[in-house]
Amino acid sequence: MRGDVDEPISIVAYDPRWPLEYEAESARVRAALGPVVVAIEPFGSSAVPGLVSKPIIDILVGVADLQEAKAHVAGLVAIGYEDFGEIFVPGRIYLRKRGTAPHFNVAVTEYGKPFWETNLAVRDYLRAHPAEVLAYARHKQEAVAQGATMFSSYSQAKDAFVRGLRERALAWAAGRGAAG
């Protein structure tokens, strides 16, 4: 049985071990999901060197068909993930693995669709724009300092900033695609 999706959060400095932990866990995720996996990418704040983050490594899994992938999610549950289904975001299955650190979130979505593209655009934009990393870090730290220490309140406190960040990232990605 899955727990409540809301949970206490904290923000920590970027950990240089996260890429290695991502690599090890993404291999387990790929094996657990099997042939439905088209691609796996690190995403979220833990995928941006130097950005403060929740101490949770985010894994983005691209599949050809989300309905087909749902039948394979039991493989992730078998290796310790909680399955929250398409909670909050239609077209994305959210799973999390807690317990002994490191902690992981997995987002399963259709490869090449808006959720996939937007999250990778934000990651790549932040990796290419150090001033945005600093601004986002300040915003996150201020949110926590003002009492947003649960997943729900933290997400709400970041919402306006993140919407603007997404817009800037998508515009940047579109311009980069036209130039390349």
Side-chain angles (χ1 to χ4, degrees):
M1 180 178 195
R2 70 183 189 201
D4 185 359
V5 73
D6 207 13
E7 62 183 337
I9 64 101
S10 63
I11 299 297
V12 300
Y14 178 80
D15 188 330
R17 294 175 298 184
W18 288 342
L20 297 173
E21 292 168 345
Y22 159 80
E23 289 296 332
E25 189 67 12
S26 68
R28 287 189 282 274
V29 167
R30 182 181 290 276
L33 285 173
V36 297
V37 176
V38 173
I40 298 182
E41 291 281 342
F43 80 115
S45 296
S46 63
V48 179
L51 181 56
V52 298
S53 177
K54 297 185 302 293
I56 299 168
I57 298 163
D58 294 307
I59 300 172
L60 185 62
V61 178
V63 297
D65 181 274
L66 194 63
Q67 294 307 312
E68 181 185 344
K70 286 180 180 180
H72 295 265
V73 167
L76 290 175
V77 173
I79 63 168
Y81 281 87
E82 291 179 276
D83 174 13
F84 289 93
E86 290 185 68
I87 192 168
F88 304 128
V89 180
R92 177 213 62 186
I93 300 169
Y94 170 69
L95 301 104
R96 73 178 181 200
K97 187 179 198 180
R98 301 296 187 264
T100 305
H103 303 294
F104 299 94
N105 288 339
V106 169
V108 179
T109 193
E110 290 185 358
Y111 178 82
K113 297 288 177 134
F115 187 85
W116 176 270
E117 295 297 329
T118 299
N119 279 284
L120 294 184
V122 169
R123 178 199 68 191
D124 293 347
Y125 176 75
L126 286 168
R127 286 177 173 178
H129 294 87
E132 287 276 17
V133 171
L134 293 174
Y136 192 22
R138 275 192 306 274
H139 188 78
K140 291 170 156 216
Q141 291 163 329
E142 288 169 6
V144 170
Q146 293 170 1
T149 58
M150 292 294 288
F151 174 73
S152 59
S153 61
Y154 178 70
S155 295
Q156 290 170 359
K158 294 189 321 172
D159 186 61
F161 185 92
V162 169
R163 275 188 278 124
L165 178 59
R166 279 190 201 117
E167 290 173 13
R168 293 186 299 279
L170 288 170
W172 172 79
R176 196 172 61 149

